[in-house]
Amino acid sequence: MYTKIWKIDPFNIDLTLIREAAEIIRRGGLVAFPTETVYGLGADVFNSAACRKIFEVKKRPMDNPLIIHIKDFEQLDLVSREVPEKIFKVIKRLWPGPLTVILKKSLEIPREATGGLDTVAVRSPAHPIALKLIELSDTPIAAPSANISGKPSPTKAEHVIEDFLGIIDGIIDGGETIFGIESTIINFLTDPPTLLRPGAYPVEIIEEIIGEKIYIPDFARGLGEAERALAPGMKYRHYAPDIPMFLVESSSYDDYKLSLLTDKILKLAKDLSRSYKIVTIAATRETIDIYEREFRDNPYIKIIDIGSRKNLYEIAKNIFDVLRKADKTKDSVLIVEGVEEKSLGLAIMNRLRKASSKRIVI
Ligand code: AMP
Ligand code: MG
């Protein structure tokens, strides 16, 4: 299949190009587009054949439902007839933005989009290209992340091209996404509300808005497995590079714990370099010097900077790109440092735990 690529500046949108992409969505095709979180792989939510195609090309299990992207509150009616007052209050404050809520689905939403559930996951994305595409397609757009199922999510058009060139109808290249990590998914239909997936909106901020604690199950921290009824998608291995990945984490990250963590990683890197050609260490700005000093003369140990512990937005934005880049080095292994499970750190650790093949807690 020929995949059309449109390069669009999010700050100066060329409407004729978006119209072409929207026309493809209207005719039941698949178009990848940038959102503020990651790139999405979009289809007309009311076209069940188009929704099925999303699962086929992603190789996504059919029981892992899609997030439906709407333009504004007016489109809410199309996907759900019942929006409890409490949920409306939250989304009025936080949309458009990276918060996905669970609602009872309307009759018109095909079962393909919801994995057979009677609920839908919905959000309105804070990205000018995504919003314009939904508007011109004249329909809510079902869009999971635009990556082959299980792989790291796409934060740049080149990631989507790697996975889907020749396989989908079109890709809108709108540059790098803003957060680089997926939306926060909360089920407000439970009491207390349940975090289904931590994401770009820190839970603490949402708790402050609703004046209520949100329940954080183990699976939302990337530990254990989800009950099917709670969060269907959460039971699958996710975000993972093909090469082995070691996550080294601690319960806290003060100076003392950080020194234990770096000691452990120095030893691990030396051990692993006996079995692999290349060892990549994904380090934080606070610790990178230690590895660089130790391995200065060792061309087989590569060190990458994932950002500062003091700016988790930076780490979130880099993380999927780091996983994809490391994966390109054959016969290699990746070691990643954990971060504190607070604010955005909860979402980062969820992704890293799910991506890792081995987790070491010091
Ligand atoms: P992705 O778009 O690839 O980030 O995946 C969407 C996520 O939303 C999946 O992990 C799903 O499990 C979750 N999701 C979608 N619809 C529902 C729903 N009705 N109830 C609970 N979780 C959902
Ligand atoms: Mg995904």
Side-chain angles (χ1 to χ4, degrees):
M1 174 187 284
Y2 170 70
T3 303
K4 177 119 198 203
I5 298 176
W6 304 274
K7 209 168 168 50
I8 300 182
D9 176 357
F11 300 106
N12 184 18
I13 292 181
D14 185 335
L15 281 181
T16 47
L17 299 187
I18 299 233
R19 242 178 237 121
E20 269 182 44
E23 191 51 39
I24 292 180
I25 298 269
R26 285 156 66 103
R27 280 196 259 116
L30 301 187
V31 173
F33 61 97
T35 77
E36 80 279 36
T37 59
V38 302
Y39 271 76
L41 179 59
D44 174 356
V45 72
F46 296 116
N47 184 326
S48 47
C51 290
R52 256 199 313 276
K53 257 196 291 184
I54 290 182
F55 288 90
E56 269 167 40
V57 302
K58 274 185 63 93
K59 305 192 178 83
R60 183 177 175 104
M62 285 301 287
D63 66 350
N64 187 3
L66 310 174
I67 292 178
I68 302 171
H69 294 70
I70 59 176
K71 187 182 148 282
D72 50 26
F73 293 101
E74 261 164 58
Q75 284 194 335
L76 205 47
D77 253 9
L78 299 172
V79 298
S80 173
R81 296 263 149 66
E82 256 182 75
V83 183
E85 183 59 31
K86 178 171 152 186
I87 299 185
F88 195 68
K89 256 174 69 186
V90 182
I91 58 183
K92 242 171 84 184
R93 284 278 301 271
L94 296 181
W95 279 4
L99 171 70
T100 299
V101 297
I102 306 299
L103 295 169
K104 227 172 148 212
K105 86 176 197 71
S106 68
L107 284 176
E108 292 77 15
I109 299 287
R111 60 190 313 279
E112 281 80 1
T114 67
L117 299 174
D118 58 0
T119 52
V120 280
V122 193
R123 80 180 193 101
S124 185
H127 193 289
I129 293 179
L131 288 175
K132 211 44 172 182
L133 180 68
I134 303 169
E135 180 190 327
L136 297 179
S137 303
D138 201 23
T139 176
I141 293 182
S145 52
N147 54 287
I148 301 286
S149 199
K151 298 275 120 205
S153 301
T155 58
K156 298 173 173 175
E158 66 193 66
H159 298 159
V160 184
I161 291 171
E162 275 168 20
D163 284 9
F164 291 124
L165 190 72
I167 295 172
I168 61 175
D169 300 282
I171 299 169
I172 299 179
D173 177 354
E176 240 185 290
T177 62
I178 298 158
F179 291 103
I181 203 153
E182 294 88 344
S183 62
T184 304
I185 309 181
I186 296 181
N187 186 357
F188 288 99
L189 301 173
T190 59
D191 188 16
T194 311
L195 178 68
L196 298 183
R197 177 179 74 188
Y201 247 126
V203 175
E204 294 89 336
I205 292 184
I206 301 166
E207 286 180 332
E208 213 175 289
I209 288 174
I210 59 174
E212 194 183 350
K213 276 279 175 204
I214 292 167
Y215 170 60
I216 304 179
D218 272 353
F219 70 80
R221 300 174 54 217
L223 305 168
E225 283 200 343
E227 296 292 320
R228 188 186 187 285
L230 258 182
M234 316 296 164
K235 68 184 179 191
Y236 302 105
R237 179 143 186 255
H238 252 86
Y239 319 113
D242 286 329
I243 58 166
M245 173 185 150
F246 290 71
L247 171 65
V248 185
E249 59 166 280
S250 174
S251 50
S252 66
Y253 294 87
D254 53 27
D255 289 350
Y256 173 67
K257 280 296 180 85
L258 265 187
S259 72
L260 293 182
L261 188 102
T262 48
D263 278 353
K264 177 75 198 171
I265 291 179
L266 290 171
K267 280 200 202 84
L268 184 63
K270 286 175 197 159
D271 281 353
L272 289 170
S273 65
R274 286 190 208 108
S275 332
Y276 296 89
K277 193 156 168 259
I278 303 283
V279 177
T280 306
I281 303 174
T284 50
R285 194 129 336 121
E286 285 73 14
T287 54
I288 195 164
D289 287 350
I290 297 165
Y291 309 117
E292 281 182 340
R293 216 175 307 124
E294 180 77 19
F295 298 125
R296 199 172 21 215
D297 302 318
N298 187 338
Y300 302 108
I301 297 187
K302 290 203 228 167
I303 297 142
I304 23 183
D305 180 353
I306 57 169
S308 168
R309 291 177 179 278
K310 298 194 190 86
N311 181 4
L312 294 172
Y313 282 90
E314 188 184 17
I315 297 182
K317 189 166 176 151
N318 285 334
I319 200 68
F320 287 131
D321 192 46
V322 165
L323 297 185
R324 276 186 181 254
K325 281 210 177 99
D327 213 10
K328 293 206 175 89
T329 310
K330 294 300 155 226
D331 196 15
S332 76
V333 58
L334 174 65
I335 305 171
V336 186
E337 283 183 5
V339 298
E340 197 178 352
E341 245 183 320
K342 241 175 48 187
S343 179
L344 260 192
L346 186 64
I348 295 169
M349 289 307 285
N350 165 292
R351 307 304 186 275
L352 290 177
R353 286 174 182 151
K354 283 170 176 282
S356 64
S357 39
K358 192 166 164 53
R359 179 173 159 249
I360 297 165
V361 183
I362 57 142

